[in-house]
């Protein structure tokens, strides 16, 4: 009787170890995904800060004033499209489906369709 009880305990402990191992593997995968997303957001944040530094502060302040909806000085009609094309080339979505999120190196048919409509 004792041997059977001991064997049952060993088997149950083995199952618990397997379950804990599966949970640990899932946790490691989740942590890896969060770290990858964090890295992508840090890169995106760096690009946005760099771009913000490039923009003339006076034009930005003028464009952001309430009630003022004028384009910044020197802006041309096609400049918005050029900016969207540049953002797309830098790796960001410009389509209404995923606007502003990282493309992760993959082409997006929605973005390409949008950019081609603007050209034509």
């Amino acid at each position: 009787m004792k041997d059977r009880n001991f064997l049952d305990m060993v088997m149950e402990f083995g199952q618990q170890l397997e379950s804990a191992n599966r949970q640990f593997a899932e946790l490691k995968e989740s942590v890896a995904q969060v770290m990858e997303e964090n890295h992508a957001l840090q890169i995106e944040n760096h690009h946005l800060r760099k771009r913000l530094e490039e923009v003339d502060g006076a034009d930005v302040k003028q464009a952001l004033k309430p009630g003022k909806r004028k384009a910044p000085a020197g802006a041309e009609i096609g400049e918005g499209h050029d900016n969207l094309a540049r953002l797309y080339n830098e790796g960001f979505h410009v389509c209404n489906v995923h606007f502003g999120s990282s493309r992760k190196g993959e082409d997006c048919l929605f973005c390409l369709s949008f950019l081609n409509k603007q050209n034509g």
Side-chain angles (χ1 to χ4, degrees):
M1 180 82 179
K2 273 187 168 182
D3 290 337
R4 187 69 170 147
N5 191 20
F6 179 74
L7 184 59
D8 289 343
M9 288 174 46
V10 169
M11 295 297 288
E12 184 180 336
F13 183 67
Q15 290 173 348
Q16 290 173 351
L17 282 176
E18 288 177 15
S19 176
N21 195 23
R22 278 192 303 271
Q23 289 175 348
F24 182 66
E26 291 171 4
L27 181 61
K28 282 189 342 185
E29 186 176 322
S30 295
V31 167
Q33 288 175 349
V34 167
M35 289 178 67
E36 184 178 313
E37 183 179 352
N38 183 39
H39 182 68
L41 289 172
Q42 286 177 343
I43 291 172
E44 184 177 354
N45 191 14
H46 174 73
H47 285 292
L48 291 172
R49 287 182 189 277
K50 188 176 176 181
R51 177 67 180 133
L52 194 58
E53 289 174 0
E54 293 173 2
V55 176
D56 183 23
D59 285 342
V60 171
K61 288 178 185 175
Q62 184 68 22
L64 294 178
K65 283 185 180 177
K68 302 277 185 176
R69 296 291 178 230
K70 295 181 187 175
E76 298 175 5
I77 299 297
E79 189 175 345
H81 180 268
D82 292 343
N83 286 336
L84 290 174
R86 181 186 46 76
L87 285 171
Y88 182 80
N89 288 330
E90 288 178 2
F92 297 99
H93 283 277
V94 296
C95 62
N96 63 338
V97 179
H98 303 289
F99 184 80
S101 61
S102 177
R103 290 188 298 116
K104 298 180 183 173
E106 300 171 355
D107 283 330
C108 172
L109 294 178
F110 296 115
C111 291
L112 292 174
S113 174
F114 174 74
L115 290 171
N116 286 334
K117 283 182 195 174
Q118 297 296 316
N119 282 336

